[in-house]
Amino acid sequence: MHKLRLPVKVELPSALTRMVLDPKVTSLHSDYGSFDRPLGGGEGHERDVEAAVDGSSSGMAQSSDIYQRQPLLPGAPTKSKDKWSGVASGSDYYEDDEEEKIDGLGRHPGITNGPGSGVIKIDIPAPLREEPRFPKEKWKTFIAFLFMVVNFILTTASLAMVHERVPDRNIYGPLPDIVLDNITAQDWTLNVSEVLIMIMSNSAMVFIIFHKHRFIVIRRIFLLMGLLYMMRSITMYVTVLPVASKTYFCSPKANNTSPLLVTKRVLQLISGFGLSINGKHTYCGDYIYSGHTVVLVLSYLIIKEYSPRRCQPIHWLGGLTVFVGIIMVLVAHGHYTVDVLIAYYLTTRLWYIYHTLANNPYLKQNGPNNFLARLWWYPIFKYFEKNVGGTVPRQYNWPLPWPRRFLAKHPNRDS
């Protein structure tokens, strides 16, 4: 005989009833999901209810169905199916449902956006227009060109005045020099050196013209040449050395340094670009330091820095040309050996320091640990380079608006 089991009506408090019957309350909440049975009747569900009443957890532990539930925002409409079932309830990343829309004020529907609602509104400003990393700034290039021209004129004016102070060749002979004393002077080698100067300078100009960021490159060249001319005008004026060559022609002295005479000599030197091969450079005394060496070394540095890496044969050929050109200057007794050494040192140090500053953004800031900012020409550098956003890449393009078939964009050609 089976005993009839009559249902016993148990009076539960309303709060406990909601706890037992509401699956959201009875589930063991965690940040990773919930253990619970789905909604519905049945004997298993009744055992869970009885276990909850008796305080026993064995019935709940026997639940076989495991599911995870996405936490809902306060006031948000509930959904029967979660979109991301594996996202923790405490996660800061979520994806809006397709049905949820955001109004023009940045508020979600169903969420109170105001004081005391627990929602924080963050105003995000509109993105700023991104500036180009390598601006042309043609007007700065023009200013750098004027800077170089002014210092070149200053150098020629210094030579025009130094010529009157050169020691008399009949009284003072050349200074002792370890190289010049052991080499017989050959006047024709000075012309060879100046021909090599023209070849190297024109080759460097070709690479600059076809460089994509040609205005930045040529601006740097103008600035560096202007600094070298400025320092040379000072060093040749403060210390005047005897003429190194016994055969080089020097114009007679006028024993006068009037502004008109200096202006005439400056115009004569400028018309010959400072070279003696065209017969315009007939003034003596411009020794410390060698202008021939400056142009040769600077041309080589330009080609090596701003030409493609695959142009290694050109780099080697350029280095050999510079070496031969300097040797030709010494063979002609056009300069003392110390002039060549000082010119090489100043040109290379100035080049390396300038490009180190230009390629490192932290060195463009005048900080307490940036000792390079104490250079006297650092403010000039900072003015010209403050908008250049990094190392200038080795990229090239056609500089003219015609023919159009050469105007197609090409990728980076560093190699």
Side-chain angles (χ1 to χ4, degrees):
M1 294 294 293
H2 295 283
K3 294 182 179 181
L4 294 177
R5 183 176 180 181
L6 297 177
V8 180
K9 184 176 181 181
V10 180
E11 296 290 334
L12 297 177
S14 58
L16 183 57
T17 302
R18 287 195 302 271
M19 186 192 320
V20 173
L21 298 181
D22 192 351
K24 297 181 182 179
V25 180
T26 59
S27 59
L28 299 178
H29 291 290
S30 68
D31 290 340
Y32 300 98
S34 304
F35 291 90
D36 198 2
R37 281 193 175 277
L39 292 176
E43 184 177 356
H45 182 61
E46 292 178 358
R47 285 198 303 267
D48 291 342
V49 174
E50 293 176 358
V53 175
D54 297 337
S56 173
S57 60
S58 60
M60 298 178 63
Q62 295 175 357
S63 300
S64 59
D65 296 330
I66 300 176
Y67 74 99
Q68 293 180 336
R69 181 168 48 83
Q70 179 76 9
L72 302 177
L73 293 174
T78 60
K79 292 183 178 292
S80 61
K81 185 177 181 181
D82 297 312
K83 196 163 187 177
W84 285 10
S85 60
V87 179
S89 62
S91 175
D92 294 331
Y93 301 93
Y94 63 92
E95 181 176 347
D96 294 329
D97 294 324
E98 295 180 359
E99 293 83 357
E100 294 181 358
K101 303 295 181 181
I102 301 176
D103 61 10
L105 299 178
R107 296 177 298 189
H108 290 270
I111 301 178
T112 306
N113 192 6
S117 63
V119 179
I120 300 175
K121 180 181 179 182
I122 301 177
D123 295 328
I124 302 177
L128 299 177
R129 183 175 62 88
E130 184 179 357
E131 297 294 337
R133 294 188 61 197
F134 305 103
K136 293 181 179 181
E137 296 180 315
K138 298 180 180 180
W139 56 279
K140 283 188 178 181
T141 304
F142 180 72
I143 294 176
F145 173 75
L146 295 180
F147 179 77
M148 182 195 67
V149 171
V150 169
N151 284 285
F152 180 72
I153 295 175
L154 184 62
T155 301
T156 55
S158 178
L159 174 58
M161 293 184 290
V162 164
H163 179 74
E164 300 295 325
R165 299 170 52 206
V166 174
D168 191 351
R169 300 171 73 175
N170 298 324
I171 301 176
Y172 301 96
L175 295 176
D177 189 285
I178 191 64
V179 175
L180 304 187
D181 293 345
N182 295 281
I183 297 177
T184 303
Q186 302 291 332
D187 294 338
W188 60 272
T189 58
L190 185 61
N191 293 338
V192 173
S193 174
E194 293 185 348
V195 170
L196 296 179
I197 286 176
M198 289 186 285
I199 293 174
M200 287 295 298
S201 58
N202 289 327
S203 300
M205 189 179 301
V206 169
F207 283 105
I208 293 174
I209 291 174
F210 284 92
H211 200 284
K212 179 180 179 180
H213 306 289
R214 61 187 64 90
F215 288 100
I216 297 178
V217 176
I218 198 171
R219 181 164 67 239
R220 292 177 175 178
I221 305 307
F222 288 156
L223 182 57
L224 292 174
M225 292 185 67
L227 293 174
L228 290 169
Y229 280 135
M230 178 189 296
M231 292 186 289
R232 186 168 183 260
S233 66
I234 297 173
T235 55
M236 76 167 64
Y237 185 82
V238 295
T239 302
V240 183
L241 303 181
V243 180
S245 175
K246 297 180 180 180
T247 59
Y248 185 81
F249 174 76
C250 295
S251 297
K253 295 181 181 180
N255 297 322
N256 181 20
T257 55
S258 63
L260 180 59
L261 178 65
V262 172
T263 302
K264 289 182 179 179
R265 291 179 175 176
V266 167
L267 294 176
Q268 179 181 343
L269 291 168
I270 292 177
S271 63
F273 295 98
L275 301 176
S276 60
I277 193 173
N278 48 31
K280 301 293 184 178
H281 193 304
T282 59
Y283 304 105
C284 299
D286 56 336
Y287 288 111
I288 302 178
Y289 42 89
S290 171
H292 291 70
T293 304
V294 166
V295 177
L296 284 170
V297 174
L298 191 61
S299 299
Y300 168 74
L301 293 173
I302 294 170
I303 294 174
K304 192 175 189 313
E305 176 66 27
Y306 294 108
S307 64
R309 291 189 178 94
R310 60 184 176 182
C311 294
Q312 288 293 336
I314 297 178
H315 299 167
W316 285 100
L317 182 60
L320 180 62
T321 303
V322 171
F323 180 76
V324 173
I326 294 174
I327 294 299
M328 293 295 103
V329 172
L330 293 176
V331 172
H333 290 200
H335 278 281
Y336 291 102
T337 306
V338 67
D339 301 342
V340 173
L341 295 177
I342 294 175
Y344 170 80
Y345 182 83
L346 284 179
T347 305
T348 54
R349 296 317 101 175
L350 184 62
W351 178 274
Y352 296 145
I353 292 174
Y354 188 96
H355 284 78
T356 298
L357 292 171
N359 295 340
N360 292 274
Y362 294 106
L363 296 180
K364 294 182 181 180
Q365 302 175 4
N366 192 2
N369 296 325
N370 183 11
F371 287 88
L372 293 177
R374 302 182 185 183
L375 294 168
W376 66 268
W377 48 267
Y378 183 82
I380 302 175
F381 155 81
K382 190 174 181 180
Y383 171 75
F384 284 101
E385 294 287 340
K386 63 181 179 180
N387 295 329
V388 179
T391 303
V392 176
R394 290 183 172 95
Q395 296 177 340
Y396 308 90
N397 60 11
W398 185 253
L400 301 177
W402 49 267
R404 293 186 178 274
R405 63 191 181 94
F406 289 125
L407 297 179
K409 295 183 177 179
H410 298 286
N412 191 343
R413 294 184 176 180
D414 280 350
S415 59

